[in-house]
Amino acid sequence: MKLPDFLVDLWRNKELKKRFFVTLGIFAIFRLVTHVPVPGVDTAAIKGVFASNQLLNLLDVFSGGTLANFSILALGLNPYINASIIMQLFTMINKKLEEMQKEGESGREQINQYTRMLTVPLAIFQSVAMYSLLSGSKLVVAHSPLELMAIIISMSAGSIFLMWLGEILTEYGLGNGISMIIFAGIVGRLPVTFLQTQAVAETLNFASLIVYAILAILVMFSIVMIDQATRNVVIEYSRRMRGSKAVGGGSTYLPIKLNNAGVIPIIFAIALVLAPSMLARLLSNIPNFALASTFSKFASSFGPQSAWYNLIYFILVVGFTYFYTAIVFDTDKIAENLKSNGGYVPGIRPGKETSKYLGGIVSRTTLVGALFLGLIAVLPSIAQGLTNISTLTIGGTSMLIIVSVVIETVRKVESYRLVKSYDSFIK
């Protein structure tokens, strides 16, 4: 039986094979460490609370099951994601950081170093907040300052360790480290989610299950179609004289995707949209009865099924799509590169006019991609109202991340295969 070309190339391409095994190794380490609990925690009681609370269950999915186990990775990549958001906002308003980002690889590496440094205090703060949230329900109890310090240090160190794994995966593995680790966590939780869905589905009618299946197929199909859709801009290259010979010339296309940001806006948005509820639950334990009651009511009303939650979630996804697209698709830099290489858009002046023209196209295409991502993000809540299958709230967002990460990883693998083929042709 003949093996598929993909598996043959995977075995023959040393670079691809190395990255594949590094990725598997990091996934194995990640899944192993998710079962290392924080000291002094009643894991059985925590699992019961998370199973009955939809918001906490959603948090647990994005941590890859580490929160319900209350492992040392309970915070997941949230501190690093929040630090990345803060640094990217500062880069837009701080001229020194903006100039540093334009310096190229060295400047971006310095900004990444600042992001890592900011992750540490954020991890400590979130560890304290998580402990305060769960200690109010007597799920996590520290009997001495030493035990409290052990809990906070364990959770903070676990989050920093996960950040390090993600960076190793980005550099030596396949795909984006943050997306891949979240992907591994979601996939690791799929059997539990499936069993929950199956248990709920037994109490539903056949029509609800049909709607559930159709929605799942349509979501996967639309994700793939939007991800593959591009707006091709014609680029012409002028002919140049080199000695007595004319070189260059011809035309090509500059593909502009509808969704240049990938799955990152969803990851950023979910990290922020869950913050108000978590903060309200934390403040509901304060001694002041009136304030505690107010925060408790807010936490109960601002859940994954509330209109305000889904509206804010939608706005955040759209906003982060534009924000991240502006970072990864720099029209000024692209226009300058075209100009320096003799390329131009027919009918458009090279330089600033080309940048303005490309910016207009990107704004229109990004609008379609952003609205699509926002709709997919809140669609599970709408679908739950149609089918009464509560696990759709988790499954829909998870599906979006899984499909997007798989497509992104396949592209990475194809690029390594093409590089290998090109090197063989040169030799």
Side-chain angles (χ1 to χ4, degrees):
M1 182 178 177
K2 185 179 178 181
L3 291 173
D5 292 339
F6 171 78
L7 295 178
V8 173
D9 288 345
L10 178 62
W11 184 254
R12 291 179 178 176
N13 189 327
K14 292 182 179 180
E15 175 69 14
L16 186 57
K17 183 166 62 174
K18 175 184 172 184
R19 289 180 175 273
F20 177 73
F21 283 116
V22 167
T23 302
L24 286 184
I26 290 177
F27 282 174
I29 293 172
F30 168 63
R31 294 309 304 170
L32 179 65
V33 180
T34 57
H35 297 285
V36 179
V38 172
V41 174
D42 187 352
T43 55
I46 288 179
K47 285 182 180 180
V49 171
F50 274 71
S52 60
N53 188 299
Q54 194 174 29
L55 178 65
L56 295 178
N57 205 356
L58 182 59
L59 269 175
D60 185 46
V61 167
F62 280 92
S63 69
T66 61
L67 204 51
N69 295 333
F70 214 77
S71 77
I72 60 174
L73 304 181
L75 294 179
L77 285 162
N78 281 332
Y80 181 68
I81 293 172
N82 293 334
S84 299
I85 296 171
I86 292 171
M87 286 305 303
Q88 288 174 4
L89 290 173
F90 278 153
T91 301
M92 296 181 69
I93 62 178
N94 187 289
K95 290 185 177 180
K96 185 175 287 187
L97 288 175
E98 186 178 358
E99 291 173 359
M100 189 181 296
Q101 189 179 43
K102 293 179 179 178
E103 291 176 1
E105 188 63 31
S106 61
R108 286 192 293 270
E109 180 56 37
Q110 188 63 45
I111 292 177
N112 288 338
Q113 184 64 24
Y114 292 153
T115 304
R116 298 184 195 106
M117 294 168 63
L118 182 59
T119 300
V120 177
L122 285 177
I124 294 173
F125 172 77
Q126 291 187 23
S127 299
V128 173
M130 185 63 68
Y131 169 77
S132 301
L133 177 66
L134 296 178
S135 64
S137 304
K138 305 300 181 182
L139 297 175
V140 181
V141 179
H143 299 286
S144 67
L146 186 62
E147 289 184 5
L148 176 60
M149 188 177 297
I151 293 173
I152 293 172
I153 291 176
S154 298
M155 295 175 66
S156 302
S159 182
I160 295 168
F161 172 72
L162 197 57
M163 174 189 70
W164 177 74
L165 282 183
E167 293 192 348
I168 294 294
L169 185 52
T170 300
E171 186 172 357
Y172 299 106
L174 299 172
N176 181 281
I178 295 178
S179 302
M180 292 291 284
I181 286 181
I182 294 177
F183 166 83
I186 293 174
V187 170
R189 288 280 297 171
L190 278 180
V192 177
T193 305
F194 175 76
L195 290 175
Q196 290 175 346
T197 304
Q198 190 177 35
V200 173
E202 290 177 357
T203 64
L204 300 174
N205 57 42
F206 183 73
S208 296
L209 296 178
I210 293 296
V211 172
Y212 174 78
I214 292 174
L215 284 173
I217 294 171
L218 287 177
V219 167
M220 285 190 288
F221 176 78
S222 58
I223 290 171
V224 174
M225 292 299 295
I226 291 293
D227 193 85
Q228 300 290 334
T230 57
R231 163 74 157 82
N232 293 326
V233 179
V234 178
I235 304 294
E236 297 281 351
Y237 285 92
S238 57
R239 297 179 67 84
R240 299 179 179 180
M241 296 302 296
R242 183 171 296 175
S244 60
K245 294 183 178 180
V247 296
S251 63
T252 184
Y253 293 96
L254 173 65
I256 299 177
K257 297 178 60 178
L258 291 186
N259 179 22
N260 283 291
V263 73
I264 298 298
I266 294 288
I267 297 173
F268 280 5
I270 200 70
L272 289 184
V273 77
L274 294 175
S277 293
M278 297 300 296
L279 183 61
R281 289 179 184 276
L282 175 64
L283 295 176
S284 63
N285 296 321
I286 61 178
N288 188 307
F289 177 77
L291 288 177
S293 177
T294 301
F295 286 123
S296 180
K297 289 180 180 178
F298 174 81
S300 300
S301 60
F302 195 77
Q305 288 304 308
S306 69
W308 280 110
Y309 174 94
N310 285 285
L311 178 62
I312 293 175
Y313 189 15
F314 180 86
I315 293 173
L316 284 174
V317 171
V318 172
F320 276 123
T321 303
Y322 271 98
F323 175 70
Y324 202 75
T325 298
I327 294 175
V328 300
F329 197 92
D330 189 340
T331 55
D332 291 335
K333 187 175 180 179
I334 292 173
E336 188 62 32
N337 288 339
L338 288 174
K339 184 179 179 180
S340 61
N341 288 288
Y344 62 93
V345 179
I348 307 295
R349 289 178 178 270
K352 291 185 178 179
E353 290 298 320
T354 299
S355 174
K356 185 178 178 181
Y357 175 75
L358 293 177
I361 294 176
V362 171
S363 296
R364 293 192 296 272
T365 56
T366 302
L367 176 62
V368 177
L371 292 177
F372 169 77
L373 281 182
L375 179 62
I376 291 296
V378 300
L379 181 63
S381 297
I382 300 173
Q384 181 178 340
L386 297 175
T387 64
N388 293 323
I389 302 179
S390 59
T391 51
L392 273 174
T393 305
I394 299 167
T397 310
S398 301
M399 190 185 303
L400 176 63
I401 294 177
I402 289 172
V403 174
S404 300
V405 171
V406 167
I407 293 174
E408 181 183 349
T409 305
V410 168
R411 284 205 186 101
K412 285 278 188 180
V413 171
E414 288 297 325
S415 68
Y416 291 128
R417 294 174 66 188
L418 288 175
V419 168
K420 179 66 175 178
S421 301
Y422 181 75
D423 290 341
S424 301
F425 176 75
I426 293 297
K427 293 178 182 178

